[in-house]
Every structure is written in structure tokens, then in C-alpha cells.
Amino acid sequence: MTGLPPSLPIRIVFFYGGINSSLILTELFPQLKDTGINLLKVRAAIGQTGNDADVYLTKNYYTTVSGDPGEFSYTWLPLNNVTGLTVSNILANPDLKPEKTTEYELGISGHFLKNRLRLDAAYYNRQTKDQIIQADLPPETGYTSQSRNIGHIENKGIELMMDLIVLQTYDWKWELGVTFAKNKSLVKKLWDNVTEYTIVSQLGVQYIAMVGQPLGVFSIPASEKVTDENSPYYGYTVVNNSGFPIESDTQKEILGGSQPDFTMGFTTHLKYKNLSLHVAGDWRKGGYMYSGTAFFSLYTGSSTHTLFNERNPYIIPNSVKILNGEYVENNLMIRADQISYALGNPSINPEVRKGYVIPKDYFKIREIALFYTLPEKYLIRTPLTAASFSLIGRNLFLFTPKKNNYVDPEVSNFGDDILTEFGETSGGSSTRNYGLGIKLSF
């Protein structure tokens, strides 16, 4: 059925719930406190949440030429033989189901050594079924996209936390905090027995969901390789008559996923009398991202990676050419006037695309703050009850691998869903901030 979308808002109600329970072992077994355990608690939880797509996606409808379903015109149509309504480019999906996520969690926490050491550990298993995505369609179908359920995504992981009071005296106090998180995602099923789906593609770099792989894997068209295992050149790159690698029409090269191996957070707080120092840092290990900044840098020759062989003529390493129907070692030199093509143009050298996918690792000093509280004796003859001063710096230091000397890995401008994991393209740079604070209490 085709018609106008309703003008009144539609209210959708979801019913989902959860159960959680905890057991304080030190209350059940008081003798545990005699061993230096101040608190020991175990917990378990199970819950389910639902999510739905936008409205107007289960039936085809007409929309204004502007494409905004909520925009209507009171002009009599057609006007000068020009229609004012058109069928939406989004193909309706009457079988669209709500997205459901079911999560299980087990945890344990404890306080030890007169509450100077606090530990917490949790394991979770999150199953997301019928995840909703906007799938692209060939324009020749008359539509450009359709909302559909992606299948079954699994996430398992652990989260650890430790807080430790290293030193505590009348004048001194030093605290350390560490957090650790590791998540492993897995695409268990896609729709209609599909084994691979491209979430987004940029300049030949595809970000895909592939059955049996973590959600969000980067792939590029592979260079033609020698596939005969009996050949002395097995695995070598095949070049054309100009000495450039030949792009394969069928093979892809997997570069890695966007998910990190783990993430960690660090905090330290040092206090001496009325003066205190707070430092917070983050470490992300593993994972990749697409970088539009890297593309522009490679294409224009401003990237350090374009200094390969000091931009002198060279032969593609470990490559062969075809001579009289057979593979022979390549001796075709990339000339000096071809260096820009070889090092920056993916249409000439498909290997260039590898430079667009960069490591997402980083270590960042996220915040350094210095606080000073004025002693009360200086406020006796004033209307103030307390006064403190602070000097704060945020995003002060960033350390990344050598292959990423372009951007802050936390910068993304592709969206607010899984596309945030894809990367950045011509996004704004991150900033370093400084602040001075004064707090007065009356």
C-alpha cells in the first residue's frame, strides 16, 4: 500500500526488563573479615533491551520532492505539470523486526586491607539479534536503501577495576586507579544466508560485517598474486607492462578490524596538606580506522610514507611480470616521473589504499589538574567558608604508532552508530584545553 505518511506522531512502547541479584559473602561468613577482607560481594544480572527503527519504514509512502516526510505543501498539485510528491527512495520492509539485545553479567567485588585496596571484576555476554541497519540498494531498483535486520551479533568481554591507596599519613595521601576492558565481537549470522555485507565504503576501502569475523573489518581490493604453490614466485605481486601492481577483480585483502585488543584507564591522585595533583590517562591497544586525512596526505605527497626510497626510481619489491605467458622476475623500474602515481594514486597502484587504514592505538594523558584549598585560618575574618583554586589541562599529550602521524584516533565524523568506528574524513582536529578555576563558598 502506498500513501502519505501520517501527520500525527506515533508513540511506540517497548516492554523489556531485567533481573539482578547480589550476595554479600562477608555478611554471610563474618569470619572472612578476620583474614583482611573488609567486603566481598558477588552479583549476577540478566536483562533485555529493545530498539526500533525510524517511522515510515514498513510501508512505501509518498514524500515531498524535498524528501522530508514531515514537510507538506498546501499548494494545489500538479503545478505547471510538475508533480510535487514522489515515492520515497527508501524501500519499505513489512517484515522489519525490533532489535533485541539480551545480556548476562557475572561480577565480584571486594575491599581489602582496611579498605585501602578495592577490586572489581565482571564478565558479560551480550547477544544482539535482528540488529537494524540501513542497507544500500542498486539505484536501478528504483530505490537507494532499505532498513533490514542484520542477523545475530555476539559480544563477550571482561571489565576489571582496581583502586589502591598507596600511601596515607596525616599530611600525605596517594591513590592509584586502573581499569581494564576487553571485548570480543563476532558476527554469527546475517540475513538470507548472506556471509558478507558492506557497512560503508570509502575510496575502495570497505568496512564490512562478515560471518565468523568481528563486527567491522576493513578490506581493500587485493593486488594480483602468483597462486601456483609450485611456482618459485608463489605469493609474488604481479605487475603490468608499466611495472605497477595489477588490481584483482575477485580477491580482497583483509587489513584488520576496528575493535581494540583492550583498553585501559589510569588515574593517580597525590595530596599533600591543601595541595593536590590529579592525573588521568587512557591506553587503547589494537584496532584500525580509516583516515581521510591520510588519503589526502598520500595523494598530495605530504605524507611521510611517500618518502619511500627517498622518492627515487625503484622496482616493486617481490614482484613478477608476465612474459610469453609465464612469470618472470620483474625488472620494470618505476620512473621518477611516476613516483606520485606509485605512492599516492590508488587507481594506478592498489597497494596505496593500505595507507588509508591506520592503527587506532594511542596512549593519551587526558587530564592533569592541580588544586589548592586555602586554609580556613585565612577565611576567619571574611564571609567565605571555603576557597579553592585549580589549574586544569585536558588532552595534553598524545602518543600514536609511527604509521599514524595524522590524527587523533578518537576523532570521528561518520555518525553516531557503528559508523563512528569506521574513522574520519576531513574532520576537525582534537584540541588541547587549559583552564583556571576559582571556587568560593559563602
Side-chain angles (χ1 to χ4, degrees), residues 251-267:
Q251 300 298 316
K252 294 181 179 180
E253 183 175 355
I254 302 298
L255 302 180
S258 60
Q259 296 294 318
D261 298 331
F262 63 82
T263 59
M264 294 188 71
F266 306 89
T267 60

Side-chain angles (χ1 to χ4, degrees), residues 211-228:
V211 174
Q213 294 288 333
L215 179 61
V217 174
F218 292 97
S219 75
I220 61 173
S223 298
E224 192 87 27
K225 303 289 184 180
V226 178
T227 57
D228 183 3

Side-chain angles (χ1 to χ4, degrees), residues 57-124:
L57 294 178
T58 57
K59 290 185 178 181
N60 290 330
Y61 61 87
Y62 285 103
T63 181
T64 56
V65 176
S66 66
D68 183 358
E71 182 180 334
F72 297 94
S73 173
Y74 295 98
T75 304
W76 290 97
L77 302 171
L79 182 63
N80 293 331
N81 297 319
V82 177
T83 58
L85 297 175
T86 183
V87 176
S88 171
N89 291 331
I90 302 175
L91 178 62
N93 184 357
D95 299 322
L96 192 64
K97 301 177 183 178
E99 175 182 317
K100 289 185 179 180
T101 299
T102 303
E103 182 171 353
Y104 311 85
E105 181 175 323
L106 299 172
I108 183 171
S109 59
H111 296 181
F112 309 89
L113 306 176
K114 297 182 179 179
N115 294 316
R116 293 183 64 166
L117 174 63
R118 289 171 291 172
L119 300 174
D120 188 277
Y123 166 81
Y124 63 86

Side-chain angles (χ1 to χ4, degrees), residues 228-284:
D228 183 3
E229 296 184 3
N230 297 320
S231 171
Y233 303 112
Y234 174 69
Y236 275 46
T237 301
V238 182
V239 301
N240 57 25
N241 293 332
S242 299
F244 294 104
I246 299 174
E247 183 175 308
S248 174
D249 295 329
T250 58
Q251 300 298 316
K252 294 181 179 180
E253 183 175 355
I254 302 298
L255 302 180
S258 60
Q259 296 294 318
D261 298 331
F262 63 82
T263 59
M264 294 188 71
F266 306 89
T267 60
T268 183
H269 189 84
L270 180 63
K271 182 177 182 296
Y272 174 69
K273 293 185 178 180
N274 295 333
L275 184 67
S276 60
L277 175 68
H278 174 78
V279 181
D282 286 328
W283 179 22
R284 175 190 168 114

Side-chain angles (χ1 to χ4, degrees), residues 143-163:
Y143 301 91
T144 58
S145 64
Q146 181 187 40
S147 291
R148 62 186 313 161
N149 301 107
I150 196 173
H152 185 180
I153 309 296
E154 177 183 81
N155 283 277
K156 295 180 179 179
I158 59 173
E159 296 174 343
L160 307 175
M161 184 274 292
M162 182 198 75
D163 282 326

